[in-house]
Amino acid sequence: MTEATAAAAVAEPVSTTDPMVARAIDLVWREAELLDRADYVRWNELFTGDGLYVVPIDPDTDDFENTLNMVYDDARMRELRVGRMTEGYAIAAVDAARTVRTVSRFVPDSVSGTEVVLRSAQVLIAYKRRRHDIWAADLTHRVRLSADGPAGDRIARKVVRLVDSEDAVPAAGFLL
Amino acid sequence: MNQYSDDTAPADLVAGDHVAGRLYTDPDIFEREMTAIFESTWVWVAHESELATPGSFKSTHVGRQPVIVTRDRKNNLHTMLNRCRHRGASVCEKPQGRANGFTCPYHAWSYGLDGTLRGIPYPDGYEGVVEKRELSLRKLRTESYGGMVFATLDEDVEPLADFLGDAKLWIDRFMKQGGGYPIKVLGKHQFRFKGNWKIQLENTTDGYHFPIVHRSWMASVDAETADMMSFMTDPEAITHDLGHGHSVMQMVPGHADLDVDDGSEPLQGRFDELAAELAKSFSDAEVRRLLRAMHGTGFNLNLFPNVAMSSAFFRVLRPVAVDETVIEHIAIGPDGPSELDPLNRERLRIHEHFQGPFGFGTPDDAEGWDRVQRGARAEPAMPILVNRGSAREKTSAEGWPTSHVTDETGMRAAYNQWKRMMRDD
Ligand code: FES
Ligand SMILES: [Fe+2]
């Protein structure tokens, strides 16, 4: 490969200061705070009606439908999950770890007038009963931008790839 | 109440219907369990579908010892310690895959799929020092029944078929959920909890906790599924002690033998769409047979010490430390033509709904177990009660001690086996 073709193959990187990307990052951070506050009802409102929330096990697959995942939620399952997290019957959720998560290392994957696909890193510390657990993950958000402005921006797809997804992790009373 | 002194022999800490709390907390007891139980009996290592073709392997553990399970070119299954015979390095760090053999990364001693030492680099230094044929990977006896593969470090232990005994009948029944096809592994969840392995061992035969701990799951499923699991007051729902520490808990007795079907039971409405899809490729009778088995069989079969065949999945426990255990929830489904894919997708979704670290069931179980481990530290000499239903236990026609599904018959069965194996003689 000549230098010229190699250069042509590399797309111009999109800056995180791109206004569309900045809106997507704002949404991801709002989402992260809602999860740390266990405000699951408002968290769920951030998703589109056809939105998917996935925590896969297999690090190499995008075919979530045909593989076993830790979480594979469409709107119906998310609704049930929010019910579980908030209704007070689930002893794991009632006594859940407190979490603080940092989302950073944003890299825009693609940007159009209506949609941003954003990759990022999430480091989450979960504290419960004198133990701090670390949960590290790569995130991908597909954010649908609203013509009406940032308040209408929604998550069409969120994929959380834990670095240890193929290993044993603690059973959790919170969401990633 | 303090009926166990510090020098009570471990086997005497178990007395039929109660056990000392120290069984969960004492590191010395845990060490002894690793040798007297996990290195002295049959331990489940794989389902045959995980080793479907020659050259496939899986790494796992027998007790705390890391092992590799392989299928060689002649189709024989082997289990070997994952430890190089030179200076002890692990020879395989992949969870599963395909290989021609294993080469140690340290000095490149290479081993065949059956563990035979094949090659030593720069062998001149070993001339007159070692015999290659004496340095195979350490092999474990490996036997299987009904697709379930077990290994043991004890060369002299009874044959697997004898150890399983009356549990074999229930293994046969369990496999009928393939609906005419063999069973294959579809994927697995793994999670760890800070508690003793026996807390999980008890739990797979604990019908009593179900509507309480799993109220959140019950609230999230369709009425028919919730109704199916409403066994608390069903007198037909019973648990049998099958001997050798094994037991079977029948939550849905009508699904104990899936071949028995008088046609009166309606199929669950939630599967209507799937039924229509399957009807394009399968006869009505085949569709009915497959869909009646969507939630698996109507029982949990608990095999001492480390595997439960639990409704529609395998639950495998691995002791890590006295207060740490790793659990696998292995999803299964029929192994057949691609027209079954929609059905296996639905089975995956059902599995995800309850199981795994973010399921609607497992985290609540794990919270309960965490609480047992924490609570049991308060006066570990006090007894843990496993006496529920002991006064209403009867012997079934087959000769199995039997009581209601919410009773602790299965736990008593497991602890009796524990006691036999932990005796000093
Ligand atoms: S430790 Fe394996 S070859 Fe040396
Ligand atoms: Fe449970």
Side-chain angles (χ1 to χ4, degrees):
Chain A
M1 196 170 8
T2 67
E3 262 177 53
T5 55
V10 178
E12 195 59 38
V14 184
S15 168
T16 49
T17 58
D18 174 285
M20 300 293 152
V21 174
R23 271 169 67 172
I25 291 175
D26 284 348
L27 179 63
V28 168
W29 274 339
R30 281 206 303 280
E31 187 215 0
E33 198 202 22
L34 288 174
L35 287 172
D36 278 339
R37 289 186 177 174
D39 190 346
Y40 297 115
V41 174
R42 285 180 60 206
W43 168 75
N44 196 20
E45 288 165 2
L46 296 183
F47 280 81
T48 61
D50 60 351
L52 275 182
Y53 167 53
V54 193
V55 183
I57 295 171
D58 183 342
D60 301 317
T61 195
D62 288 310
D63 182 8
F64 308 126
E65 201 189 355
N66 285 297
T67 45
L68 186 70
N69 307 284
M70 292 188 229
V71 178
Y72 182 64
D73 283 3
D74 57 9
R76 186 186 74 91
M77 278 303 286
R78 254 193 335 274
E79 185 78 36
L80 292 172
R81 190 178 295 279
V82 169
R84 162 177 164 74
M85 302 305 280
T86 54
E87 73 204 346
Y89 306 149
I91 56 175
V94 168
D95 250 342
R98 286 193 60 179
T99 63
V100 170
R101 69 196 72 201
T102 307
V103 186
S104 188
R105 198 251 265 138
F106 289 107
V107 176
D109 208 47
S110 66
V111 183
S112 73
T114 54
E115 200 173 81
V116 174
V117 177
L118 192 61
R119 299 198 303 270
S120 60
Q122 171 168 286
V123 178
L124 182 156
I125 309 289
Y127 171 78
K128 179 173 174 178
R129 294 179 192 147
R130 304 188 57 203
R131 255 175 80 93
H132 292 81
D133 285 328
I134 298 173
W135 298 69
D138 286 306
L139 308 184
T140 305
H141 283 83
R142 181 178 294 272
V143 174
R144 215 164 278 164
L145 300 171
S146 163
D148 305 330
D153 294 349
R154 291 289 176 269
I155 301 165
R157 184 169 161 120
K158 176 184 182 182
V159 179
V160 182
R161 293 191 188 272
L162 287 168
V163 293
D164 50 356
S165 66
E166 291 188 294
D167 203 344
V169 301
F174 54 87
L175 299 185
L176 298 174
Chain B
M1 184 156 46
N2 186 342
Q3 54 195 106
Y4 313 100
S5 70
D6 278 355
D7 50 10
T8 308
D12 297 332
L13 295 170
V14 165
D17 64 358
H18 58 274
V19 307
R22 204 202 300 167
L23 257 61
Y24 302 146
T25 60
D26 184 335
D28 294 336
I29 290 177
F30 179 81
E31 289 301 322
R32 192 169 155 74
E33 287 171 340
M34 290 307 100
T35 49
I37 296 173
F38 283 86
E39 295 176 10
S40 304
T41 191
W42 291 103
V43 171
W44 186 89
V45 290
H47 183 258
E48 280 189 8
S49 67
E50 296 179 279
L51 305 151
T53 53
S56 46
F57 69 86
K58 165 186 182 181
S59 40
T60 181
H61 292 78
V62 168
R64 280 183 305 191
Q65 307 219 27
V67 300
I68 322 169
V69 192
T70 65
R71 187 182 288 277
D72 71 16
R73 300 285 160 210
K74 292 175 199 139
N75 258 316
N76 297 316
L77 295 173
H78 304 275
T79 309
M80 301 156 308
L81 289 189
N82 187 0
R83 179 198 186 283
C84 181
R85 293 300 302 273
H86 177 218
R87 292 225 300 277
S90 63
V91 298
C92 174
E93 287 292 342
K94 292 211 172 68
Q96 71 271 317
R98 296 181 48 77
N100 293 318
F102 304 95
T103 300
C104 179
Y106 204 5
H107 313 90
W109 286 27
S110 60
Y111 302 90
L113 285 166
D114 62 354
T116 312
L117 178 60
R118 290 246 191 80
I120 298 182
Y122 310 103
D124 45 311
Y126 286 110
E127 263 165 43
V129 180
V130 305
E131 266 313 324
K132 265 197 341 206
R133 80 183 114 75
E134 287 166 9
L135 290 173
S136 298
L137 294 177
R138 164 81 192 275
K139 276 221 239 182
L140 283 71
R141 246 177 87 193
T142 304
E143 292 176 16
S144 57
Y145 181 84
M148 304 291 275
V149 186
F150 296 77
T152 179
L153 280 151
D154 184 347
E155 275 303 308
D156 304 321
V157 81
E158 65 202 308
L160 175 68
D162 295 354
F163 173 67
L164 293 174
D166 288 351
K168 292 202 296 292
L169 163 71
W170 294 91
I171 294 178
D172 297 343
R173 287 181 175 170
F174 186 88
M175 295 305 178
K176 291 183 185 182
Q177 66 185 284
Y181 298 95
I183 288 295
K184 70 173 172 187
V185 168
L186 301 176
K188 71 175 169 191
H189 285 126
Q190 298 180 79
F191 67 99
R192 59 180 73 233
F193 76 98
K194 293 295 291 173
N196 187 267
W197 64 278
K198 295 184 294 300
I199 300 171
Q200 159 68 94
L201 181 72
E202 294 165 10
N203 180 263
T204 37
T205 178
D206 186 338
Y208 193 27
H209 84 296
F210 201 90
I212 298 146
V213 165
H214 300 307
R215 184 168 168 193
S216 161
W217 176 83
M218 292 283 261
S220 73
V221 296
D222 56 298
E224 288 164 317
T225 303
D227 189 50
M228 181 186 79
M229 292 305 282
S230 299
F231 47 72
M232 297 306 281
T233 52
D234 176 0
E236 308 274 292
I238 48 176
T239 294
H240 304 295
D241 171 349
L242 300 174
H244 298 119
H246 315 315
S247 64
V248 64
M249 169 171 97
Q250 300 195 52
M251 295 86 72
V252 191
H255 287 186
D257 183 345
L258 288 163
D259 285 349
V260 178
D261 178 14
D262 64 8
S264 64
E265 177 194 345
L267 293 175
Q268 288 192 0
R270 68 187 281 184
F271 302 129
D272 285 353
E273 233 175 274
L274 177 61
E277 176 76 30
L278 293 172
K280 293 177 196 160
S281 319
F282 302 95
S283 72
D284 288 354
E286 285 170 318
V287 172
R288 179 172 174 83
R289 191 174 176 197
L290 287 162
L291 291 185
R292 265 184 95 235
M294 280 305 284
H295 297 287
T297 52
F299 58 84
N300 285 0
L301 173 62
N302 301 295
L303 301 177
F304 189 89
N306 81 320
V307 66
M309 303 168 73
S310 196
S311 301
F313 68 104
F314 303 140
R315 188 182 335 225
V316 186
L317 69 84
R318 172 161 73 85
V320 176
V322 67
D323 58 356
E324 185 173 359
T325 307
V326 168
I327 312 285
E328 295 179 0
H329 288 168
I330 301 177
I332 55 175
D335 188 4
S338 61
E339 286 75 14
L340 288 169
D341 290 354
L343 178 142
N344 278 331
R345 278 198 287 274
E346 185 61 26
R347 285 186 72 116
L348 288 171
R349 301 294 89 80
I350 292 173
H351 190 83
E352 284 162 354
H353 191 156
F354 193 106
Q355 316 300 339
F358 291 87
F360 285 36
T362 298
D364 297 329
D365 276 323
E367 170 66 12
W369 307 339
D370 198 45
R371 298 284 284 268
V372 171
Q373 188 71 24
R374 292 169 67 79
R377 288 181 198 127
E379 190 47 89
M382 270 172 73
I384 298 287
L385 302 182
V386 288
N387 54 5
R388 185 177 160 85
S390 57
R392 57 180 173 182
E393 201 167 279
K394 306 239 161 37
T395 302
S396 74
E398 298 89 345
W400 301 322
T402 296
S403 196
H404 190 250
V405 77
T406 61
D407 291 345
E408 286 158 350
T409 298
M411 296 176 214
R412 293 191 284 275
Y415 280 117
N416 280 333
Q417 179 72 5
W418 187 95
K419 189 178 171 77
R420 278 192 289 276
M421 299 195 75
M422 291 289 282
R423 265 201 291 260
D424 282 317
D425 44 40

